[in-house]
Amino acid sequence: MTDYLLSILIFLPLLAGFIVVLLPKSLEPKSKFIALAVSIINLLISIYLFRAFDGSATGYQFMEQKPWINLDLGNFGTFSIQYLLGVDGISLPMVLLAGIVMLAGAVSSMSIDRRPKAFYTFFLLLTSSIFGCFVSLDFFLFFLFFEFMLLPMYFLIGIWGGERREYAAMKFIIYTLVGSVFILVVMLAMGLSVNAPMNSETPTFTFDFRHLADAKNYISGSVLDQSSSIEWLGWPVRSILFILLLVGFGIKLPAVPFHTWLPDAHVEAPTSISVVLAGILLKVGGYGFLRIGIGFFPEEALNFAPWIAGLGVVSIIYGAFNAIAQDDLKKLIAYSSVSHMGFVFLGFAAFNNEGFNGAIYQMFSHGLLSSMLFLVVGVIYDRTHNRLIQNYRGLAGKMPLYTGAVIIAFFGSLGLPGISGFIGEFFSLLGGFSSPHLSKWFPSIAVLGIVLSAVYLLWALQRMFFGNFWVNRDLKDQMHDLNIKESILLYGLGALAILYGVWPALLLDVTNKSVEFFLQSIGQ
Amino acid sequence: MSLIALIPLFPLIGFLINGLGYKKIPKAIVAPVGIGAALLSFITTVLVYFQFKADGQTIIQPLFDWITVGGLNISFAFQIDQLSIIMLFIITGVGTLIHLYSKGYMSHDEGYGKFFAYLNLFLFSMLLLVMGANYLIMFIGWEGVGLCSYLLIGFWNKRSDFGDAARKAFIMNRVGDLGFLIGIFLIIRQFGTLEYLSVFEQAQGLEMGNISIMFITFCLFIGAMGKSAQIPLFTWLPDAMAGPTPVSALIHAATMVTSGIYMVVRSNVLYTLSPDTLEFIAWIGTLTALLAASIALFQNDIKKVLAYSTVSQLGYMFIGLGVMAYTSGFFHVITHAFFKALLFLGAGSVIHAMSDEQDISKMGGLWSKIKITAATFLIGTIAISGLPPFAGFFSKDEILAHVFEHNKAMWALAMVGSFMTAFYMFRLFFLTFTGKFRGTKEQEDHLHESPSSMTIPLIVLAGLSIVGGFIGFPEIFHLPHALADFLSPLYDGSRAVNPEFGLVHLSHSTEWMLMGFSVLLAAVALGVAWFIYVKKETQPADPSQLGGIKKVLADKYYLDEAYQIAFVKPVEKASQFFYSTIDKKAIDRVVEGTGDLTSLLNRLSTKLQTGSTGFYILVMSIAVAAILILNMGTEIADQFFSIFNAQTK
């Protein structure tokens, strides 16, 4: 049983999705419990994996390997696609985060009553593909899950979204499809260039992450051979493909200027889908870029380090400025996501232990805090269907529990020490400062982000929560404090954010060794 | 569990009890928990002091390995040495008194439990700040006290201007923290560690004027400018008076705002290595001392006068540090903690008696009504004015003597500030406690002395304000300077890198003269204030009636307005521009443009699909003909024909 834990993470939600589809009409309201149960089981498995993981070892653990598609091309060679799963200290935090966020999403979507069967089918498909993305060790398999996430997401926004849901869903699809095409191109080029090290006369073309990460396996003379001099429009092909990955994953992260799908998607998406989107979907961009972009194109990545850092810093500052300009709370938080995810790129560009660990920590922490923030918006929206900041004042007196949760989420988000966000931002910045590959200007400018985040978050806090209680329109009676479900969700996530803020070793013990190993493998 | 770890643990537990049990715990338990936590912490400090005094060696108490990333290892450890033990005494000692005072002062407030929870959280953060054995723990405490300051300034957050004040305080402090953070990164780059002992030991191997040390010390000092309210980051502190008065006394006078001085003294080796930074600090201190004192001259809000006075006194402390008289600067931290806490609590007692009135133009003649408050306030006033033999005299005079040796112009400016200090403090005292009562009838009927939980702290602090200076007699008195002797081991590093450190060249006669002069000046200021406000019974002017330079001073040099124009507006403008112009008009236009392009092509191609076979054949023939004509003789035509021929064979 424990040999197939990673497969269970993927196939349990998939199976549950089929069951939900087949549910008779009378049992339709029960579908939310199926999703909830699956989310709980997946979280428990993730926690088990996290505990059982050997942080002192290098390489992948809990591996599963099955040949999947073998295409014999005669003299040309063999095309081998595997069903290959495994986790290391880089992907495992994302698996745990997926477990936490998907459960939060499942709980917060329990109030969805429109077409629940369809909703939960998509939700479970999404769950399956998100876990699949983080545990796949075969590029083909990874890409399959990566693509597969778009479909349920498109429908979840397009059907259960707000007024402009179709526009938002379309924008989401256009952006991410462009990104996917870029990544697909790289994948195909990889498949034609890498030979699995086997004792056969003809080459075995492979998508195995472990082989792709090793320069020795690239067939000499192939498109992606390290010493290849193939150029296109005067650029080395490897550099072009790296740029494709940078943009492809940059859209997902999202990095400015590839970010404008995010505010729209968030504003239109229902609360639980916003939670999933910000909490875990964006991390696929960061994770994919690290594993594939940097892992398989180390030299190009290093050459482009100032560009990666530049994208990060621009996102941090630009996102923060945009957040200041918002009067819709959800949009403000969406832009704050852009700003905070900028630290991830900054950390990556550092090419050192501090930076990589910081970026991973930042992703994990942002997952917790942004889930919390979108749940915070959901609380208001559920009560009044209005998210404009100026329509609320003095909520603190009326909703003390809610205000407490908001304060934890806001201060965590603005990087207060003692809450997880601080560790991630601290080490991403420290990485930038101690990196020989970057000008000190990058982190020096990025630091301004911590002042700007205080500006917009405290401004929102003051406008909505302080002062005398006042709510626009006749919504006063509906402004009741958190119910049990909301309290558990918000304070549970808040407790986790504080736990990872005061005890960073919980995560760093898992990531440290793998990051070190990863850095070695890319020659740092 | 060692005793040392208990010191911050008590307030943390107090915070958790009152914080989690907010509104469920009865009032009768809230105060004992809050005060008890502070008191237990104080008692533990005393015990730790004896443990430390046994051999006088620095104690490092590691609690756990905290963060390990790559080669960087940051431990969670506490450091007990001469500096931290004194800070512990101030924080827990004054802290306990102010907790006790709050029991009476806040007794009618509905947020009673919340208030004690925040106060305990503040104590915890402040203790982390001074006890940490490395810069990261200091930074955590540093930001933690900022959070508590925010929560407590905005404690009565129903008033939106109070919310503004809280936000301003946090953001201005954040600007400073940004410098501190960069300083930390530079320390890691330079030394590969953040542990004090290791950093200072390595620093001793560097030469004076080292450029990266200059950057480090400068960046750290930016943090101090924010937290300790120095130019240009001081304007938050006067606004912070929006918080309840015990908060002003504890956080915004006695403890938190002196963190910057603590940090510099803690890092004295680094600062000694960087004379340029020290010179900068000394001038910032001088300008701040002068600027704030001049603003205080025409303020009518009792707490605002004290707030500007705090800014000004902090300036004096930095002057001391800047001229490398670390002990003198720190000496002033100690005496200031006594007399400024006393003055604020006294002001609170006045406000309490006056039914929440803070305007001194509505007070007067309170001496006979609230005798204990008045007498203790007088003691505080004398102490801050620098009249012997009260506490402020010793510490301020020591700073001034060092400044005289360092730079005569700076000394002259400092003396001007000192004169203003004595003047505005006695102005405050006379306007509040002498003459005729100027308030309303109801206020007069309601006048009463505060309960004992409030007056006991006043009496204790008054006592300390009288005798507190005796821990540092000047050399010319031929009495021991206990503080200097005690702190001496802290400066071993500074002595090692700068052989000049700690040597005084002033002759005894010069020192007597300086001392005589500053006492005379303070006495003159007292006399002038007495003449204007007691003899001539001048009423405090309404700020709107003032003209010329007085108006500029009363309006605080229009700095808030200037900051509004220089920073706040541009940020708002920039954010609007980024959002509505770049995000909406530029980027989204491109994205939607690709969508439009697709649908345009779609519409065009739809038109082509007429369904008429004749039309298709026509288009095809034209196309083929066009290809043939345009590419006659080219490869494409060749290929076309070869394929065509091959198929027709």
Side-chain angles (χ1 to χ4, degrees), chain B residues 527-545:
Chain B
V528 174
W530 177 83
F531 183 76
I532 298 176
Y533 297 105
V534 180
K535 188 84 196 312
K536 309 260 291 192
E537 294 188 25
T538 311
Q539 303 299 311
D542 183 349
S544 58
Q545 304 293 317

Side-chain angles (χ1 to χ4, degrees), chain A residues 340-411:
Chain A
H340 288 122
M341 289 302 283
F343 285 97
V344 175
F345 261 4
L346 179 64
F348 285 160
F351 283 91
N352 54 23
N353 267 308
E354 294 88 342
F356 280 13
N357 276 305
I360 296 168
Y361 215 102
Q362 176 71 357
M363 286 200 276
F364 187 82
S365 152
H366 180 261
L368 299 176
L369 290 168
S370 64
S371 302
M372 232 182 136
L373 288 169
F374 282 108
L375 288 169
V376 158
V377 183
V379 168
I380 280 280
Y381 190 72
D382 280 351
R383 284 160 180 65
T384 63
H385 290 272
N386 189 304
R387 293 179 308 246
L388 286 184
I389 294 171
Q390 62 260 35
N391 284 341
Y392 303 91
R393 213 182 296 146
L395 296 181
K398 195 89 172 171
M399 307 168 78
L401 267 180
Y402 181 49
T403 309
V406 170
I407 287 179
I408 296 174
F410 277 22
F411 277 90

Side-chain angles (χ1 to χ4, degrees), chain B residues 95-165:
Chain B
T96 305
L97 290 174
I98 290 173
H99 275 69
L100 177 65
Y101 178 94
S102 306
K103 177 175 179 277
Y105 192 84
M106 298 300 287
S107 57
H108 306 300
D109 200 282
E110 53 174 325
Y112 196 63
K114 195 166 72 171
F115 185 78
F116 274 99
Y118 288 170
L119 272 193
N120 275 181
L121 181 64
F122 168 76
L123 272 194
F124 169 71
S125 313
M126 191 67 209
L127 291 169
L128 279 190
L129 195 161
V130 299
M131 291 177 74
N134 60 51
Y135 281 100
L136 192 63
I137 302 180
M138 193 202 289
F139 185 72
I140 291 169
W142 192 271
E143 288 246 302
V145 292
L147 168 71
C148 299
S149 167
Y150 171 82
L151 294 172
L152 284 163
I153 295 170
F155 187 73
W156 289 312
N157 58 37
K158 292 227 160 81
R159 276 188 53 178
S160 68
D161 53 332
F162 288 7
D164 285 336

